[in-house]
């Protein structure tokens, strides 16, 4: 479903050139639960931003369902982000001035659903992450774990092909983190394709496949089972 | 995302930044309000200048037949009202008579025999008493209206109303006096009698001089031509023996004054609107910078460029239209207040609201919002999602 061929991305820092992603080949199939591990600064986030069409690679090919997405226009990429990709970030990235329900509605409204349809769907996904009753709360009125669950509901709202989560438990205490990972596992059991970035091995172990990054290089890890 | 939702979103954002939105709008409110007030005062001033100028005869035609024999009979005068743009007729005859009261005697005094329209046509104000009526003209009533200086000469400091004076030996009752005129006024030395009393003073009611009042100073030139050809054909006079005067010079300078006034006020108003617009642009730019992360999040959730630009453009539009509406209301309120104060001080109104300016101000506010909002929204729309997300 996802195929990266010889993908490279580097940053210029003054005199120095940092190659954050170095000739990476990677493949993910529908229904997989993959975790990407590696030390800080190894290029995990950069790779995920490229996977999520938030950033572009310098060279290489990115095929999404056999379609080359590197050459698409801004607007076409926006449509793919909206319909096919769901993001979960370490710092939640909820819009602070609108409530939980409205946050989940945002991608649905960009998708073209009417306000009424969007509300119904958003409530459905808030129910799925066990947050019914909190939908009128502003993000700052929710705990970290609750905020991350709103973010997951939002990522799920347009029924994406893949969920990309960049250290989703990084800002949470370990008990809440375990809950969030449990939620991810259940979603995966329901057929949802998920890629999780983490540097916490106990988190990574819950995935069925682990890949490691080191200085921009990607290496298939041992089967955790 | 639908337009309605985008407007709702804009209102939410404006409300969450009440102070800043208020201050931004204040710039525009002051701008629009001053447009309304300045243009209103300009219009009010032009109106009172026009009135003043009409008093000086800018809307007046003077018809003068001087071949020495042709006259217009009293009964034919109404025909002039059938001509285009002619509102009123005041025929007059200048007669010489001896005027006296007690010991005070004015020999060979020039008095005017005229009709009930004279005061209005000449723009003279009746101070006390009553004007002539049609009945005075019909009955040849021995009535007289006198100017301020005459009243002083004949009556010293006593009230002349209802008292009699002698004209060529006959008793005439004073029915009205004129208010003391301004410096330019000839009204102070005037003595009026009904046209038909001319027969007691050695003359008749046929006239060779008359004033015609037009409906508007603008139409004076056209009306003059009509009147001239009408008199020429109907009274068989060659154009050398006929004069139709106008005061177009006054009209020209009046137009010039009001054009310059409008230009000046328009300029001031324009500057204040630009200042208001820059205020809006400034706030929208700050708002874009401040909400870079929000833009990043929205883009990661599938917002297209046009979704983002629409959001900011509509926010700027809502901001400027709100400011515009409040400004219009403030301007109208201040104008009404000015008029109230001025009325209290005993002057006539100086603020006149024109609907055109309200419509224009509203359109200008919308234009300001669109023009000064478009650059910030374009900036926001062009941000790369990753750069926007990483912004703190
Ligand atoms: N916008 C950027 N400009 C310059 N260097 C960057 C930028 N983003 C990432 N990098 C560098 O690229 C490398 C990989 O970063 P990142 O992908 O965030 O790593 P990880 O997520 O594994 O911690 C790091 O050395 C980081 O400093
Ligand atoms: Mg990272």
């Amino acid at each position: 479903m996802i195929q990266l061929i010889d993908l490279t991305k580097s940053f210029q820092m003054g005199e120095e050139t940092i190659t954050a992603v170095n000739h990476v080949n990677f493949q993910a199939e529908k229904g997989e639960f993959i975790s990407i591990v590696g030390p800080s600064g190894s290029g995990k986030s950069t790779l995920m931003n490229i996977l999520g069409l938030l950033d572009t690679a310098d060279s290489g090919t990115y095929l999404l369902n056999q379609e080359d997405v590197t050459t698409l226009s801004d607007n076409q990429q926006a449509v793919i982000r909206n319909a096919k990709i769901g993001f979960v970030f370490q710092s939640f990235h909820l819009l602070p001035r609108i409530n939980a329900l409205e946050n989940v509605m945002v991608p649905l409204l960009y998708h073209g659903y009417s306000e009424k349809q969007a509300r119904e769907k958003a409530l459905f996904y808030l129910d799925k992450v066990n947050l019914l009753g909190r939908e009128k709360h502003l993000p700052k009125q929710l705990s970290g774990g609750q905020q991350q669950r709103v973010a997951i509901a939002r990522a799920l709202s347009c029924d994406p092909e893949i969920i990309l989560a960049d250290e989703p438990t990084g800002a949470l205490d370990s008990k809440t983190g375990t809950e969030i990972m449990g939620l991810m596992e259940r979603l995966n059991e329901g057929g949802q394709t998920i890629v999780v970035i983490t540097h916490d091995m106990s988190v990574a172990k819950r995935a069925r496949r682990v890949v490691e990054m080191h200085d921009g290089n990607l290496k298939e890890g041992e089967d955790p089972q | 995302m639908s337009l309605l939702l985008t407007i709702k979103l804009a209102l939410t954002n404006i409300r969450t930044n009440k102070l800043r939105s208020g201050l931004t709008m204040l710039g525009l409110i002051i701008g629009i309000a001053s447009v309304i007030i300045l243009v209103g005062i300009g219009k009010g001033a032009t109106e009172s200048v026009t009135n003043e100028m009409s008093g000086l005869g800018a809307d007046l035609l003077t018809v003068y037949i001087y071949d020495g024999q042709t006259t217009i009979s009293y009964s034919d005068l109404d025909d002039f009202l059938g001509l285009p743009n002619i509102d009123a007729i005041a025929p007059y005859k200048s007669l010489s008579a001896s005027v006296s009261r007690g010991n005070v005697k004015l020999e060979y005094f020039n008095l005017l025999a005229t009709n009930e329209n004279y005061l209005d046509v000449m723009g003279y104000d009746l101070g006390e008493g009553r004007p002539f009526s049609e009945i005075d003209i019909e009955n040849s009533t021995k009535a007289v209206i006198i100017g301020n200086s005459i009243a002083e000469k004949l009556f010293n400091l006593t009230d002349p109303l209802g008292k009699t004076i002698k004209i060529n030996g006959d008793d005439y009752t004073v029915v009205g006096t004129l208010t003391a005129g301004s410096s330019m006024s000839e009204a102070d030395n005037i003595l009026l009698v009904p046209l038909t009393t001319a027969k007691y003073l050695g003359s008749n009611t046929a006239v060779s001089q008359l004033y015609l009042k037009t409906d508007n100073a603008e139409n004076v030139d056209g009306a003059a031509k009509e009147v001239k050809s009408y008199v020429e054909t109907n009274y068989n006079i060659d154009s050398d023996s006929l004069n139709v005067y106008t005061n177009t010079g006054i009209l020209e300078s009046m137009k010039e004054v009001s054009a310059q006034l409008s230009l000046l006020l328009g300029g001031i108003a324009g500057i204040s609107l630009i200042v208001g617009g820059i205020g809006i642009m400034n706030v929208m730019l700050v708002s874009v910078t401040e909400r870079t992360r929000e833009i990043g999040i929205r883009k990661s959730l599938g917002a297209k460029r046009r979704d983002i630009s629409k959001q900011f453009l509509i926010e700027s539009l809502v901001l400027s239209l709100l400011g515009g509406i409040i400004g219009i209301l403030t301007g109208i309120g201040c104008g009404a207040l000015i008029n109230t104060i001025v009325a209290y001080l005993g002057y006539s109104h100086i603020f006149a609201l024109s609907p055109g300016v309200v419509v224009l101000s509203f359109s200008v506010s919308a234009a300001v919002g669109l023009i000064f909002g478009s650059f910030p929204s374009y900036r926001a729309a062009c941000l790369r999602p990753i750069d926007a997300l990483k912004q703190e």
Side-chain angles (χ1 to χ4, degrees):
Chain A
M1 187 178 77
I2 282 181
Q3 200 174 2
L4 302 182
I5 306 163
D6 203 22
L7 206 83
T8 296
K9 170 85 182 178
S10 44
F11 297 102
Q12 200 69 40
M13 286 289 279
E15 301 282 281
E16 218 179 335
T17 303
I18 301 162
T19 306
V21 174
N22 192 6
H23 298 286
V24 162
N25 290 289
F26 174 73
Q27 209 156 344
E29 296 305 330
K30 193 165 169 50
E32 277 197 292
F33 189 176
I34 305 169
S35 78
I36 301 177
V37 295
S40 180
S42 57
K44 307 181 296 293
S45 293
T46 308
L47 181 69
M48 206 195 80
N49 292 335
I50 295 170
L51 280 176
L53 294 178
L54 297 173
D55 205 350
T56 46
D58 298 336
S59 65
T61 310
Y62 174 7
L63 300 179
L64 182 62
N65 294 331
Q66 273 87 50
E67 184 192 12
D68 187 351
V69 294
T70 37
T71 54
L72 293 179
S73 74
D74 248 32
N75 277 350
Q76 289 168 320
Q77 292 195 344
V79 170
I80 292 181
R81 282 197 295 273
N82 179 254
K84 301 194 170 166
I85 298 167
F87 292 99
V88 179
F89 299 97
Q90 178 176 0
S91 51
F92 323 133
H93 280 349
L94 297 177
L95 295 174
R97 285 194 282 258
I98 56 178
N99 65 33
L101 177 66
E102 290 164 332
N103 262 288
V104 181
M105 284 168 69
V106 171
L108 292 161
L109 293 172
Y110 286 133
H111 198 86
Y113 288 109
S114 74
E115 201 178 351
K116 185 164 165 285
Q117 290 170 318
R119 173 164 294 128
E120 276 168 16
K121 275 188 171 288
L123 283 170
F124 172 79
Y125 286 105
L126 280 172
D127 187 23
K128 210 164 169 174
V129 298
N130 234 335
L131 273 181
L132 269 195
R134 300 289 157 107
E135 64 267 18
K136 297 285 180 209
H137 288 52
L138 290 175
K140 64 171 182 236
Q141 296 167 324
L142 297 170
S143 72
Q146 287 171 331
Q147 289 189 53
Q148 196 59 301
R149 280 191 276 155
V150 174
I152 291 172
R154 184 179 67 181
L156 289 170
S157 64
C158 286
D159 197 15
E161 299 198 2
I162 188 163
I163 296 268
L164 299 176
D166 191 346
E167 308 209 23
T169 62
L172 304 173
D173 61 70
S174 64
K175 180 168 168 285
T176 319
T178 311
E179 274 170 31
I180 292 293
M181 284 312 291
L183 176 57
M184 297 276 217
E185 270 178 274
R186 282 205 303 286
L187 291 174
N188 177 251
E189 279 154 18
Q192 182 68 57
T193 316
I194 299 178
V195 176
V196 180
I197 289 179
T198 180
H199 53 238
D200 182 344
M201 273 318 283
S202 68
V203 170
K205 283 207 174 89
R206 307 183 73 141
R208 296 209 221 126
R209 179 180 150 206
V210 179
V211 293
E212 281 176 38
M213 274 204 90
H214 241 281
D215 287 340
N217 297 303
L218 190 104
K219 177 177 99 186
E220 208 68 34
E222 289 98 63
D223 195 325
Q225 259 80 48
Chain B
M1 197 152 31
S2 77
L3 193 63
L4 191 70
L5 272 173
T6 317
I7 293 173
K8 266 195 210 166
L9 184 66
L11 285 173
T12 312
N13 280 327
I14 289 170
R15 230 180 297 128
T16 45
N17 272 312
K18 276 195 205 76
L19 182 65
R20 185 204 297 163
S21 311
L23 286 174
T24 317
M25 282 195 285
L26 195 62
L28 206 67
I29 290 170
I30 293 172
I32 293 284
S34 38
V35 169
I36 300 267
I37 294 169
L38 288 178
V39 173
I41 288 177
K43 188 162 177 264
T46 308
E47 272 173 15
S48 59
V49 167
T50 310
N51 282 341
E52 194 88 356
M53 290 291 177
S54 307
L56 295 176
D59 59 350
L60 215 57
L61 289 180
T62 312
V63 180
Y64 188 27
I65 303 169
Y66 52 95
D67 65 353
Q69 48 195 4
T70 312
T71 54
I72 303 169
S73 75
Y74 180 67
S75 55
D76 287 345
L77 284 172
D78 280 350
D79 293 346
F80 282 88
L81 286 176
L83 296 175
N85 304 117
I86 302 299
D87 264 8
I89 310 163
Y92 69 97
K93 292 181 85 94
S94 185
L95 302 170
S96 182
S98 91
V99 176
S100 65
R101 177 172 181 269
N103 299 328
V104 190
K105 203 162 192 174
L106 307 169
E107 292 288 356
Y108 306 111
F109 187 82
N110 262 331
L111 51 83
L112 289 180
T114 183
N115 72 353
E116 71 277 9
N117 294 327
Y118 189 84
L119 294 183
D120 176 43
V121 164
M122 296 303 286
Y124 294 158
D125 284 333
L126 191 68
E128 307 274 328
R130 62 166 183 88
F132 292 147
S133 66
E134 282 179 53
I135 294 167
D136 293 326
I137 312 293
E138 239 166 73
N139 297 348
S140 312
T141 314
K142 287 180 179 164
V144 63
I145 296 174
I146 55 179
N148 197 255
S149 305
I150 303 293
E152 265 175 37
K153 273 181 205 153
L154 295 178
F155 291 93
N156 204 359
L157 289 174
T158 62
D159 181 14
L161 272 194
K163 310 241 169 71
T164 56
I165 60 172
K166 285 202 187 305
I167 302 178
N168 281 3
D170 288 345
D171 277 344
Y172 283 72
T173 310
V174 177
V175 296
T177 56
L178 302 179
T179 44
S182 57
S183 54
M184 286 188 249
S185 181
E186 299 157 357
D188 288 352
N189 282 306
I190 232 165
L191 196 155
L192 304 174
V193 293
L195 184 67
T196 45
T197 58
K199 64 187 176 199
Y200 307 127
L201 302 166
S203 185
N204 58 28
T205 56
V207 294
S208 57
Q209 291 173 56
L210 49 123
Y211 289 123
L212 298 174
K213 188 179 156 77
T214 57
D215 52 359
N216 192 315
E218 303 272 340
N219 301 326
V220 146
D221 283 335
K225 284 203 191 79
E226 294 276 348
V227 167
K228 195 157 189 185
S229 73
Y230 174 81
V231 176
E232 274 170 18
T233 47
N234 283 276
Y235 293 90
N236 201 15
I237 305 172
D238 67 273
S239 56
D240 291 344
S241 307
L242 170 70
N243 232 327
V244 180
Y245 297 107
T246 61
N247 287 319
T248 35
I250 294 176
L251 184 65
E252 302 281 283
S253 54
M254 177 181 98
K255 276 183 182 163
E256 208 168 297
V257 165
S258 83
Q260 279 173 357
L261 197 64
S262 304
L263 204 65
L264 176 74
L265 296 177
I268 295 172
I271 290 169
S272 56
L273 281 179
I274 290 175
V275 171
I278 291 174
I280 288 207
M281 177 149 77
N282 191 17
V283 162
M284 291 313 295
L285 281 175
V286 169
S287 173
V288 167
T289 311
E290 228 183 46
R291 276 148 61 191
T292 304
R293 195 210 287 247
E294 175 186 334
I295 295 165
I297 294 172
R298 288 184 177 278
K299 286 203 156 186
S300 78
L301 298 176
K304 296 179 189 144
R305 280 186 179 200
R306 103 174 92 86
D307 291 315
I308 301 292
S309 59
K310 203 165 74 177
Q311 182 187 337
F312 282 90
L313 202 56
I314 285 190
E315 197 172 317
S316 140
L317 201 60
V318 167
L319 207 58
S320 60
L321 282 183
L322 269 180
I325 290 171
I326 299 174
I328 289 170
L329 295 178
T330 310
I332 294 176
C334 287
L337 189 69
I338 290 172
N339 279 348
T340 313
I341 293 172
V342 157
Y344 182 75
L345 296 175
Y347 298 99
S348 70
H349 80 285
I350 58 169
F351 173 84
L353 180 72
S354 55
V357 172
V358 173
V359 174
L360 187 76
S361 304
F362 194 78
S363 329
V364 166
S365 329
V368 162
L370 282 178
I371 293 167
F372 292 97
S374 59
F375 174 59
S377 8
Y378 175 77
R379 278 257 296 242
C382 288
L383 285 169
R384 272 163 31 97
I386 187 64
D387 296 337
L389 267 180
K390 278 190 173 170
Q391 197 96 39
E392 277 319 304

